[in-house]
Amino acid sequence: LPPSCLFCWREHPSACGCWPDRRWPCPRCNEMRPTGAAIRSNHQRVALRSGRNDVALEPKNPRTRTRTRTTTTTTCWTMTSFSSCLSRLTHVGVGFRRGKDISVNNMASMASSFTRGGRAGCSGFRPMPLAQRASSSDAASMENHANTTLVVVESPTKAKKVQKFLTKPDKEEDERSLALLESLGKVEVLASYGHVRDLEGKPGAVDPDKHFALRWSVSSRARPRLDAIKQAAQRCERVLLATDPDREGEGIAWHLQQELEACPSLRGRAGKPSIQRITFNEVTSKAVLRSLEGAREVSTALVDAYRARRALDHLVGFGLSPVLWRKLPGSKSAGRVQSAALRMICERDDEISAHVPVEYWSVSADVEAGGHSFEGASLVALGEEKLGKFSLATEEDAERARAAVESAQLSLTTIKETISRKQPRRPLTTSTLQQLASSRLGMSATETMAVAQKLYEGDHAGGTGEGLITYMRTDGTYLSPAFVQQCREYVEGEFGGDYLPQKPRLFASKSKNAQEAHEAIRPTNPSLSPSKLKKKLEPRHWRLYDLIWRVAVGSQMSDARAKTLSFEFSGDGVTLRSAFTATVFEGHLAADAEGAGARRAALEKMRALESLGEGDACEASGVVSRQHHTSPPPKFSDGTLVKALEECGIGRPSTYAPIIKVLTSRGYVVRSSGRLVPTARGHLVTKFLKLYFPVYVDLNYTSGMEEQLDRISNAELGWTLLLSDFWDPFERTVADVMDIRNRVVIDELDALFGDDLVKGLDLGEGEGGGEVSAEPRRCPACGTGTLGLKLSRFGGFVGCSNYDKKGESGCTFGVPLDMCFGSSTKIAKHGFDLSALGELGACEDTGLVIEMKLGPYGYYLHRTDGMVASLPREIEPSEMTPKDATEVLREKGKRKKKKAAASTGAKAKGKAQGRGGGANKRSPNPFIEFMQREKDRVVQENPDKTWRECVKIIAAEYKTSASAKS
């Protein structure tokens, strides 16, 4: 029997009004008292019998009641007071009974019901000891949670699809799948929105001293979603984790399992829900239902590989990045895989810069034979010599060959026919998809994966209800037997039996250890051709789906056959050759409907050329000689970089796009005309890492580390053992580099760059008009200093060795790094032009002189009153006029005033709200304010003084003004 009210916990239930229309026995006299009786006994100490022992409780101070009804004295209590009372009841072992027993886990829903329903929500509940409730409540709890299932996926779009598949299945599904679906009972599908927790974003999240213990944290963004999943799990008998079928997906499932198992309300509940893992490679009804048969535990090996990768990335990132911040100010970060990829890009740029073009020539002519024209027939033999690529090395050689062709009497001497077979392309993996999308569609790796994600989830305009492609992060080329059979049936019905090979094609993976999602990227339904979806999909979605469909369907079609006719025209020691190729059997090319017209036209021309015979007379016209130069290797694009990373074994399908995104966001690489161009900052970071951390940016070492991670995923190696072998030498290397003085680092990097540091500068004449010294590093401004690498807190620049000196021997010449070397000169804000420096004229607003200057961060305008502004990118330095300069300075002044007004308003608002220090904020130093006002005037009046001497002058003036005021 309750000694006091179960909700307000201080008065008798019949007196407080929380239990209307009920009669309760008085705790003192045991007499039944009606509601509303004036029983105001305020017990100082009461005893409550639980199921096991007596617990003495001290009454709390009275609380303020809310929502008081005007008609009666009955009151309703807020959720806070109700929840507080429930927690006290749980502590002393009291449950509730209303017709049947209700477990403690349902108290939250009871509280919500009480708050919404007022006093009617709480009437009728009676207390009972926990021991008496135990046997019946467990059974009731099991009954409440029976036949309910929670499914957790990653994205909300996928959650909607899976919810539909599991609640409204296809009538065509087999009986086994329907029986499995029926066993799930009521199904609820929630999205985790990716990772629910991650390593803490600060040093120490990986503790090597505690066997590499990992400290995970739940972000504020993920907390509401995780709480919703926990609350839903309390209502369910089983939880199915259906995150993506790769290491990242396994890691997310593991995080969810860890959080659910640590949840107190689930851990202490009778009938704890079972947690299992399911995976499906495509978001279709059949795939989702089929995945229910393969429910399993979360893979420990894949989770270990995930933890090892995250720990390695954290240790390297938080180990190298502070070194960069200290030794190379302005650098953002370094990483285990991104630094190796940056090295590949910078070394390719160095190859391009070091390339020496080789000249060679070619001769071609237009030949008429039998009424057919052969344009651009190439000269392949002159006299008895067969010409190679570099046989005509000079213009004189080319002119002699051209004259010989013009004077020769030619005839058709040889017709050679060859048949070639072209096999279909292998099924797409993540890397080959990104390569093809880059080369054919002009899409970046990040854009490709974003569009593929939409197609995978079925989140596209005019959606068909199911995903259109399989999971897009994979390095395997395997195709499921069911898809192969569907594909063969489609090809036979659409194109005919001649387009089918005798047996299905099988493709072995070229990856060293294909492990992500083992099946290749393919359409979920081969009969859903791109022509049927062209009006339903967005243009870029359709183009990518069309690419995936053609490759996947074409991989199960027969080879294409092409005929090549080679014609040789000879006479007077001269031989010209021309070849023509046409497709005689389309095979897998039939899947590409857009190229069918061009193939038919080429075949018709081929049949016309077959009428020619050897010995037919010919006539050459339009003989030309062309100069060529050997080309350097091309810069990386998104696709070619992904291909190079895959060939070197660096990274995995899920990391290719993030690698490129990180490099561009850090400013180490920029995109220019579809190519990845390293900036000067990228070159500087790469040379620093190659100099002081050669092992950890070595491509073979990074590839070997990926192989070790694959061994962990195969349960062949312990993940902490890998981290132990890595950490000890890495920690010593970081400590050694941190002990090196910054001046030594700068000198060594300067020596590494050599004269290439100023290779991009066209110095011309010095300011004095004299000739430039033969020394490439001689400063063009002062003529006595040497140009070298210098660092500032915002980055590096090339400056004169007299840059830091004051007085007459000082020099202010400085150039941004991007103007100086490598391909970065083509992406710099402006090109180097020494003639643009100097006085431009008078300002139209103030009449003061405006000068064009060049500093460590580029060109800028300087007015004699101290106003400065950077030169806009769209204006070339040599084209700047006084009118344009006045407008640039005017806009800079407007921005400064707007910023000052906003800052003043923010300070005023902070004071009004009591924030930002308010009235207690320390007042600014008056001397600093005085110096800020007077420094420009003092410096201009004393051009021969150093800054330290100017400060002394300002201090003396401040003392004089302060004494005058006093």
Side-chain angles (χ1 to χ4, degrees):
L1 296 178
S4 58
C5 178
L6 296 176
F7 296 97
C8 64
W9 202 256
R10 77 180 196 281
E11 292 184 340
H12 191 274
S14 59
C16 70
C18 292
W19 296 82
D21 304 326
R22 293 287 177 182
R23 299 172 66 87
W24 291 89
C26 177
R28 292 187 176 180
C29 61
N30 204 28
E31 179 183 352
M32 299 300 292
R33 301 275 182 161
T35 302
I39 301 176
R40 300 299 181 185
S41 54
N42 190 8
H43 309 289
Q44 296 303 316
R45 179 176 292 274
V46 296
L48 175 64
R49 178 175 298 278
S50 67
R52 294 165 294 180
N53 55 4
D54 291 338
V55 180
L57 299 176
E58 197 72 28
K60 288 189 175 182
N61 293 330
R63 296 183 181 178
T64 302
R65 300 180 180 181
T66 59
R67 301 181 188 174
T68 303
R69 296 180 183 269
T70 57
T71 56
T72 65
T73 58
T74 305
T75 57
C76 298
W77 296 89
T78 62
M79 174 73 80
T80 304
S81 62
F82 186 78
S83 302
S84 174
C85 185
L86 286 179
S87 64
R88 298 183 66 183
L89 287 174
T90 305
H91 176 71
V92 299
V94 175
F96 291 96
R97 167 177 285 174
R98 187 181 185 183
K100 63 178 181 178
D101 295 325
I102 302 175
S103 72
V104 177
N105 294 313
N106 286 335
M107 290 182 178
S109 61
M110 292 165 55
S112 176
S113 174
F114 175 75
T115 305
R116 292 193 304 268
R119 62 187 180 122
C122 64
S123 63
F125 287 98
R126 298 195 62 182
M128 65 176 295
L130 188 63
Q132 298 177 13
R133 185 180 58 86
S135 59
S136 59
S137 65
D138 291 347
S141 176
M142 293 295 292
E143 180 183 350
N144 290 337
H145 301 298
N147 222 21
T148 55
T149 302
L150 171 65
V151 180
V152 183
V153 297
E154 289 190 39
S155 71
T157 302
K158 192 193 297 185
K160 294 178 183 178
K161 303 290 183 181
V162 175
Q163 180 81 51
K164 178 182 176 182
F165 300 152
L166 296 180
T167 53
K168 298 179 181 179
D170 251 346
K171 296 181 179 179
E172 301 177 358
E173 298 292 346
D174 55 23
E175 294 182 0
R176 184 176 180 182
S177 298
L178 293 176
L180 279 172
L181 186 57
E182 187 177 353
S183 67
L184 297 181
K186 183 180 179 182
V187 178
E188 184 177 2
V189 183
L190 294 179
S192 68
Y193 291 81
H195 283 276
V196 295
R197 65 179 189 177
D198 200 357
L199 286 175
E200 294 181 357
K202 56 185 179 182
V206 181
D207 193 348
D209 297 332
K210 296 182 180 180
H211 302 287
F212 297 96
L214 307 179
R215 290 208 304 267
W216 305 97
S217 63
V218 180
S219 65
S220 57
R221 183 178 181 182
R223 174 61 66 184
R225 297 157 187 164
L226 182 58
D227 290 343
I229 293 173
K230 289 180 180 180
Q231 292 176 8
Q234 296 177 24
R235 304 188 294 267
C236 298
E237 181 184 7
R238 67 187 66 84
V239 178
L240 298 179
L241 305 176
T243 49
D244 290 341
D246 57 5
R247 284 181 188 167
E248 289 293 316
E250 203 75 18
I252 295 173
W254 176 74
H255 285 305
L256 288 169
Q257 182 185 34
Q258 293 287 308
E259 288 292 326
L260 291 175
E261 290 179 349
C263 182
S265 58
L266 289 176
R267 187 171 50 192
R269 191 189 92 185
K272 181 180 178 181
S274 63
I275 302 176
Q276 291 182 303
R277 173 90 164 101
I278 61 172
T279 57
F280 43 84
N281 199 44
E282 54 188 70
V283 187
T284 60
S285 179
K286 290 184 178 180
V288 172
L289 293 179
R290 198 182 310 121
S291 68
L292 300 176
E293 302 177 8
R296 58 173 175 83
E297 299 295 325
V298 175
S299 173
T300 303
L302 291 179
V303 170
D304 287 347
Y306 163 77
R307 289 193 289 181
R309 182 183 293 275
R310 291 294 296 115
L312 276 175
D313 292 342
H314 181 90
L315 292 173
V316 174
F318 281 92
L320 291 182
S321 297
V323 177
L324 288 179
W325 302 336
R326 183 75 61 84
K327 305 302 178 183
L328 295 180
S331 300
K332 299 293 182 62
S333 66
R336 181 178 61 87
V337 180
Q338 79 181 52
S339 298
L342 179 61
R343 175 178 180 171
M344 295 175 67
I345 297 174
C346 291
E347 288 182 345
R348 173 62 62 88
D349 192 59
D350 291 339
E351 291 180 30
I352 295 173
S353 300
H355 175 74
V356 178
V358 177
E359 180 187 10
Y360 66 96
W361 290 75
S362 65
V363 176
S364 62
D366 299 335
V367 179
E368 292 284 340
H372 299 282
S373 176
F374 297 87
E375 297 180 357
S378 301
L379 178 65
V380 295
L382 187 62
E384 298 182 355
E385 179 187 1
K386 291 185 177 182
L387 299 182
K389 181 177 181 179
F390 299 103
S391 297
L392 304 178
T394 62
E395 185 177 4
E396 291 76 12
D397 296 338
E399 286 300 318
R400 285 195 297 269
R402 186 179 67 82
V405 173
E406 288 179 340
S407 61
Q409 297 293 324
L410 302 177
S411 62
L412 179 56
T413 56
T414 305
I415 301 178
K416 185 178 180 181
E417 178 182 319
T418 56
I419 299 293
S420 59
R421 303 175 71 92
K422 183 178 181 181
Q423 294 184 343
R425 182 182 289 273
R426 301 164 62 85
L428 292 174
T429 62
T430 300
S431 62
T432 53
L433 173 65
Q434 293 174 355
Q435 293 168 39
L436 280 180
S438 176
S439 60
R440 296 188 182 182
L441 308 180
M443 298 171 67
S444 67
T446 303
E447 183 184 7
T448 301
M449 298 309 292
V451 175
Q453 182 78 29
K454 299 285 187 182
L455 296 175
Y456 166 65
E457 296 177 349
D459 183 18
H460 46 267
T464 59
E466 293 187 339
L468 295 179
I469 65 172
T470 55
Y471 190 58
M472 61 286 170
R473 294 184 182 90
T474 172
D475 49 13
T477 54
Y478 164 77
L479 294 174
S480 66
F483 171 79
V484 172
Q485 183 61 32
Q486 293 175 1
C487 192
R488 289 176 66 85
E489 292 174 358
Y490 173 80
V491 171
E492 186 175 10
E494 187 73 17
F495 303 105
D498 293 339
Y499 289 82
L500 275 180
Q502 293 182 355
K503 57 182 180 179
R505 295 181 184 272
L506 301 178
F507 299 90
S509 178
K510 290 185 177 181
S511 179
K512 295 180 180 179
N513 192 352
Q515 47 78 35
E516 294 281 348
H518 297 286
E519 192 171 3
I521 304 172
R522 59 167 178 82
T524 56
N525 184 2
S527 62
L528 201 59
S529 62
S531 59
K532 298 179 181 179
L533 297 174
K534 191 163 188 177
K535 295 182 180 180
K536 297 181 179 180
L537 299 179
E538 295 180 12
R540 61 175 187 163
H541 291 183
W542 182 86
R543 291 199 304 270
L544 189 64
Y545 178 77
D546 176 63
L547 179 65
I548 295 171
W549 186 90
R550 283 192 283 109
V551 172
V553 174
S555 68
Q556 295 302 314
M557 298 177 68
S558 55
D559 295 345
R561 294 192 297 273
K563 178 192 289 187
T564 300
L565 292 179
S566 178
F567 302 89
E568 288 189 358
F569 311 95
S570 303
D572 299 335
V574 172
T575 301
L576 298 175
R577 181 181 296 162
S578 180
F580 186 81
T581 302
T583 301
V584 295
F585 177 71
E586 290 184 320
H588 64 88
L589 297 178
D592 183 8
E594 293 183 358
R599 291 192 294 269
R600 284 195 297 268
L603 184 59
E604 292 177 1
K605 185 176 181 180
M606 169 72 71
R607 291 169 179 168
L609 292 176
E610 290 177 346
S611 61
L612 294 175
E614 296 182 358
D616 292 350
C618 305
E619 181 179 355
S621 61
V623 183
V624 294
S625 59
R626 293 185 176 87
Q627 184 186 31
H628 308 277
H629 292 89
T630 55
S631 301
K635 293 183 177 67
F636 283 116
S637 64
D638 283 48
T640 54
L641 179 60
V642 168
K643 182 179 180 180
L645 290 172
E646 185 183 32
E647 290 175 350
C648 294
I650 297 175
R652 284 298 178 262
S654 59
T655 62
Y656 295 143
I659 288 172
I660 300 175
K661 185 177 180 180
V662 168
L663 292 178
T664 53
S665 64
R666 296 290 187 268
Y668 297 151
V669 173
V670 296
R671 283 191 175 89
S672 177
S673 302
R675 298 289 173 174
L676 298 175
V677 182
T679 62
R681 170 61 59 186
H683 276 286
L684 191 62
V685 170
T686 298
K687 289 191 179 297
F688 175 83
L689 294 177
K690 287 171 64 176
L691 179 63
Y692 293 106
F693 298 91
V695 174
Y696 302 102
V697 294
D698 182 73
L699 303 184
N700 293 328
Y701 177 84
T702 307
S703 175
M705 189 64 71
E706 294 291 345
E707 293 179 3
Q708 296 296 319
L709 292 171
D710 291 337
R711 289 185 60 197
I712 296 175
S713 66
N714 295 331
E716 299 174 358
L717 179 66
W719 70 283
T720 54
L721 181 61
L722 172 66
L723 295 177
S724 299
D725 294 340
F726 163 80
W727 175 247
D728 292 336
F730 179 76
E731 184 183 28
R732 290 194 297 269
T733 304
V734 170
D736 293 342
V737 175
M738 289 294 281
D739 292 338
I740 301 176
R741 295 176 60 245
N742 286 14
R743 182 71 259 173
V744 176
V745 173
I746 296 174
D747 291 343
E748 291 186 347
L749 290 176
D750 186 84
L752 276 179
F753 280 111
D755 293 339
D756 290 340
L757 186 65
V758 295
K759 189 176 182 179
L761 297 179
D762 184 12
L763 298 177
E765 294 184 351
E767 291 184 351
E771 295 184 0
V772 178
S773 171
E775 299 181 15
R777 288 207 183 196
R778 182 67 62 189
C779 177
C782 65
T784 59
T786 303
L787 298 181
L789 177 66
K790 294 186 176 295
L791 298 179
S792 69
R793 60 175 179 169
F794 299 111
F797 64 97
V798 173
C800 178
S801 57
N802 299 324
Y803 189 85
D804 297 327
K805 296 180 181 180
K806 302 298 180 180
E808 296 181 356
S809 61
C811 179
T812 60
F813 183 81
V815 185
L817 279 175
D818 282 336
M819 286 187 183
C820 298
F821 66 95
S823 298
S824 59
T825 56
K826 300 178 181 179
I827 59 174
K829 189 175 179 180
H830 298 99
F832 180 76
D833 186 3
L834 199 62
S835 62
L837 304 181
E839 184 176 320
L840 295 177
C843 176
E844 296 181 357
D845 293 341
T846 63
L848 300 176
V849 176
I850 302 177
E851 294 179 300
M852 174 75 73
K853 294 189 175 184
L854 179 62
Y857 312 112
Y859 292 96
Y860 66 97
L861 301 173
H862 178 268
R863 201 166 58 193
T864 51
D865 62 350
M867 186 68 174
V868 295
S870 298
L871 188 66
R873 179 182 292 272
E874 60 272 12
I875 302 178
E876 291 296 328
S878 57
E879 300 175 358
M880 177 62 69
T881 63
K883 182 178 180 181
D884 295 335
T886 302
E887 182 64 27
V888 172
L889 291 171
R890 187 182 299 143
E891 291 297 325
K892 176 65 177 294
K894 291 179 181 179
R895 290 196 299 270
K896 287 184 66 176
K897 290 181 180 179
K898 186 176 180 180
K899 185 177 180 180
S903 176
T904 304
K907 290 180 180 179
K909 183 179 179 180
K911 290 182 179 180
Q913 296 178 350
R915 296 179 181 178
N920 297 325
K921 187 174 180 180
R922 187 173 59 183
S923 59
N925 189 320
F927 173 70
I928 298 298
E929 289 186 332
F930 182 84
M931 184 173 64
Q932 293 292 339
R933 292 196 306 268
E934 304 296 333
K935 64 178 182 178
D936 293 333
R937 178 186 59 80
V938 173
V939 170
Q940 292 177 9
E941 293 176 354
N942 302 276
D944 57 334
K945 303 289 185 182
T946 64
W947 170 245
R948 185 179 295 275
E949 293 172 337
C950 290
V951 170
K952 291 181 179 180
I953 296 175
I954 295 172
E957 293 181 357
Y958 174 74
K959 290 180 181 179
T960 303
S961 63
S963 60
K965 290 180 181 179
S966 60

